[in-house]
């Protein structure tokens, strides 16, 4: 019987790679719904090829445009946040690829968790913004959570198959998240003030969207992954370490008390973790070239420089604060990166914006998801005000 799949964020990098893997195994998967935001032509093309029962877009205007492009087809077009939550909870759905970028991906991921679905989580903000509430929903809904980020997927593969959330019981000393170092790993620190958006999105190893590429350049991406790892693997901040690995071949490692270090290696291609999660616990072909270590050559590692990457330290500090600081950090970062890409602030104003918002909302607490959403909005307002003064 084929696995019934929904892809939230089908037109983004993760969505496109997911559909590439799905197309290689039509006997294993069928697409029930695809969702998109702005790339309506691309979403229409995907719908024509994969014939989902539903397509979901943000609003009525885009729904009408998509419906016209799909005229005569069998795909029903829906719109709005409620429609997202509706389709992920459909009884026929087995798995949900949660790949909507940003805070917008939180509510549909929560709906999938409450419905007890198999969640392939590629949306960082779900755990960064609302880790406690999301993990509670996963437990209460009986959902299965599989990480898609290459780093967390590598950790998942390197932990024991029966891992139950207790690192000490399984003899784990620490989790090592690898980072490429992005495009500015060796650039003189004194020149970073002049970084342009074009330079920041030019990642040396991975093909990603603009926002996540900037996050990789600042290493905020890795900071968010540290917070994710805390929730995914029940790891304390001191049990998580970041190490720069420029080749992006070792995707992360787990160190055990006996001195063993287990790692997952592959080419820097998101189809590998996607295929792993889609077929888990089986393995399927992903279209990724075989890794030839002799041709790869040296694999090198180094410690990150927090002078060069202040966002990484801000993320660790936010996790240590054990309040709503990660929510504030994420919200301010989304605003700052958007402003940088629009050339409204310089590159170094990104960490400055984050630091300002964290200080303004230090100690803020949330007892519900609505509280978190309110803090998210307040952090964005504080960040926008700071950005306007730059």
């Amino acid at each position: 019987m084929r696995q019934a799949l929904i892809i939230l964020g089908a037109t983004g990098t993760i969505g496109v790679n997911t559909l590439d893997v799905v197309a290689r195994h039509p006997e294993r998967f069928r697409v029930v719904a695809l969702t998109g935001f702005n790339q309506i032509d691309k979403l229409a093309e995907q719908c024509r090829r994969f014939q989902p029962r539903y397509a979901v877009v943000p609003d009525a205007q885009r729904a009408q445009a998509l419906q016209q492009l799909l005229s005569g087809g069998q795909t029903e077009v829906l719109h709005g946040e409620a429609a997202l939550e509706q389709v992920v909870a459909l009884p026929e759905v087995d798995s949900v690829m949660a790949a909507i970028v940003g805070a917008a991906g939180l509510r549909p991921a929560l709906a999938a968790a409450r419905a007890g679905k198999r969640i392939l989580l590629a949306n960082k903000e779900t755990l960064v913004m609302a880790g406690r509430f999301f993990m509670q929903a996963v437990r209460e809904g009986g959902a299965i959570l599989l990480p898609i980020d290459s780093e967390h997927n590598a950790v998942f593969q390197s932990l024991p198959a029966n891992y139950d959330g207790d690192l000490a019981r399984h003899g784990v000393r620490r989790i090592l998240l690898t980072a490429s170092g992005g495009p500015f790993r060796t650039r003189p620190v004194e020149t970073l003030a002049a970084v342009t958006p074009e330079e920041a999105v030019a990642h040396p190893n991975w093909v990603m969207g603009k926002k996540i590429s900037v996050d990789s350049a600042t290493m905020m991406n890795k900071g968010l992954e540290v917070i994710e790892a805390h929730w995914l693997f029940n790891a304390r901040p001191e049990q998580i370490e970041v190490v720069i690995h420029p080749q992006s071949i070792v995707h992360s490692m787990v160190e055990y008390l006996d001195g063993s270090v287990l790692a997952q290696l592959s080419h820097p291609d998101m189809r590998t973790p996607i295929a792993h999660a889609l077929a888990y616990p089986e393995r399927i072909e992903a279209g990724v070239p075989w890794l030839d270590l002799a041709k790869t050559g040296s694999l090198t590692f180094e410690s990150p420089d927090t002078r060069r990457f202040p966002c990484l330290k801000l993320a660790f500090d936010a996790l240590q604060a054990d309040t709503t600081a990660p929510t504030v950090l994420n919200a301010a970062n989304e605003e700052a990166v958007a402003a940088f890409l629009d050339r409204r602030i310089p590159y170094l104003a990104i960490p400055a914006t984050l630091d300002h918002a964290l200080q303004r909302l230090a100690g803020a607490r949330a007892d519900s998801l609505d509280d978190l959403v309110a803090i998210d909005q307040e952090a964005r307002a504080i960040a926008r005000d700071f950005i306007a003064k730059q």
Side-chain angles (χ1 to χ4, degrees), residues 122-144:
N123 170 277
K124 297 180 185 301
E125 292 75 14
T126 293
L127 286 171
V128 173
M129 179 181 172
R132 176 161 59 95
F133 297 100
F134 180 70
M135 295 306 292
Q136 181 180 348
V138 168
R139 290 189 297 270
E140 293 177 353
I144 297 171

Side-chain angles (χ1 to χ4, degrees), residues 243-262:
V243 60
I244 290 180
H245 169 53
Q247 295 82 16
S248 295
I249 296 296
V250 176
H251 295 292
S252 276
M253 298 167 276
V254 175
E255 183 181 51
Y256 289 83
L257 293 174
D258 62 5
S260 299
V261 178
L262 302 188

Side-chain angles (χ1 to χ4, degrees), residues 7 49 134 170-171 217 307 368:
I7 302 176
R49 181 177 181 188
F134 180 70
H170 291 277
R307 293 183 309 118
S368 68

Side-chain angles (χ1 to χ4, degrees), residues 24 76 87 113 141 161 213 220 274 279:
R24 296 171 189 274
E76 181 179 351
V87 295
S213 295
M220 174 48 66
I274 288 169

Side-chain angles (χ1 to χ4, degrees), residues 279-312:
Y280 182 80
E282 299 178 48
R283 301 274 182 168
I284 58 174
E285 192 271 331
V288 178
W290 309 122
L291 183 62
D292 187 331
L293 288 174
K295 290 183 179 179
T296 299
S298 299
L299 300 178
T300 60
F301 304 89
E302 59 194 65
S303 297
D305 177 2
T306 53
R307 293 183 309 118
R308 182 184 302 278
F309 303 115
C311 288
L312 181 61

Side-chain angles (χ1 to χ4, degrees), residues 43-380:
L43 183 60
E45 181 184 338
Q46 292 174 332
C47 289
R48 285 191 288 266
R49 181 177 181 188
F50 291 94
Q51 295 294 305
R53 180 178 168 190
Y54 299 104
V56 185
V57 291
D59 52 49
Q61 182 178 355
R62 277 173 274 206
Q64 183 179 10
L66 180 60
Q67 195 72 72
Q68 289 176 348
L69 290 170
L70 297 176
S71 178
Q74 297 182 354
T75 299
E76 181 179 351
V77 180
L78 307 174
H79 68 272
E81 188 172 74
L84 289 175
E85 297 182 37
Q86 172 191 336
V87 295
V88 298
L90 289 170
E92 68 188 274
V93 172
D94 300 309
S95 301
V96 176
M97 172 60 77
I100 295 176
V101 175
L106 172 59
R107 290 195 182 276
L110 274 169
R114 290 167 180 151
K117 303 302 183 183
R118 178 182 171 117
I119 304 169
L120 285 56
L121 188 64
N123 170 277
K124 297 180 185 301
E125 292 75 14
T126 293
L127 286 171
V128 173
M129 179 181 172
R132 176 161 59 95
F133 297 100
F134 180 70
M135 295 306 292
Q136 181 180 348
V138 168
R139 290 189 297 270
E140 293 177 353
I144 297 171
L145 183 59
L146 299 170
I148 295 299
D149 267 353
S150 62
E151 295 81 3
H152 301 114
N153 184 267
V155 171
F156 182 85
Q157 293 193 53
S158 301
L159 285 168
N162 64 340
Y163 180 66
D164 59 4
D166 191 327
L167 292 175
R169 182 181 300 144
H170 291 277
V172 175
R173 178 173 178 262
R174 60 178 175 165
I175 289 169
L176 295 155
L177 299 177
T178 57
S180 69
F184 308 135
R185 181 177 64 88
T186 60
R187 178 165 171 158
V189 174
E190 60 273 14
T191 70
L192 291 177
V195 163
T196 67
E198 290 77 15
E199 292 172 321
V201 301
H203 196 282
N205 299 337
W206 294 93
V207 177
M208 305 181 292
K210 288 184 178 181
K211 193 268 181 182
I212 195 171
S213 295
V214 175
D215 283 348
S216 181
T218 64
M219 278 192 76
M220 174 48 66
N221 191 42
K222 205 55 49 179
L224 298 178
E225 288 171 12
V226 167
I227 298 168
E228 284 184 276
H230 162 70
W231 291 110
L232 284 169
F233 308 115
N234 194 30
R236 300 188 306 274
E238 64 271 19
Q239 293 176 303
I240 307 168
E241 186 172 325
V242 172
V243 60
I244 290 180
H245 169 53
Q247 295 82 16
S248 295
I249 296 296
V250 176
H251 295 292
S252 276
M253 298 167 276
V254 175
E255 183 181 51
Y256 289 83
L257 293 174
D258 62 5
S260 299
V261 178
L262 302 188
Q264 185 268 334
L265 287 71
S266 65
H267 283 290
D269 190 315
M270 284 308 300
R271 289 176 296 176
T272 294
I274 288 169
H276 172 265
L278 279 172
Y280 182 80
E282 299 178 48
R283 301 274 182 168
I284 58 174
E285 192 271 331
V288 178
W290 309 122
L291 183 62
D292 187 331
L293 288 174
K295 290 183 179 179
T296 299
S298 299
L299 300 178
T300 60
F301 304 89
E302 59 194 65
S303 297
D305 177 2
T306 53
R307 293 183 309 118
R308 182 184 302 278
F309 303 115
C311 288
L312 181 61
K313 182 179 186 303
L314 289 171
F316 268 104
D317 290 346
L319 182 56
Q320 288 278 11
D322 193 29
T323 59
T324 57
T327 303
V328 174
L329 180 85
N330 176 70
N333 183 64
E334 287 190 11
E335 296 294 331
V337 170
F340 168 68
L341 288 171
D342 289 343
R343 304 180 193 278
R344 289 183 282 126
I345 58 171
Y347 179 75
L348 292 183
I350 296 175
T353 303
L354 273 54
D355 187 42
H356 175 74
L358 286 166
Q359 290 189 42
R360 284 283 305 276
L361 290 173
R365 305 200 66 84
D367 297 319
S368 68
L369 185 60
D370 287 341
D371 290 344
L372 272 182
V373 171
I375 289 169
D376 173 271
Q377 293 303 309
E378 187 175 0
R380 291 175 188 276

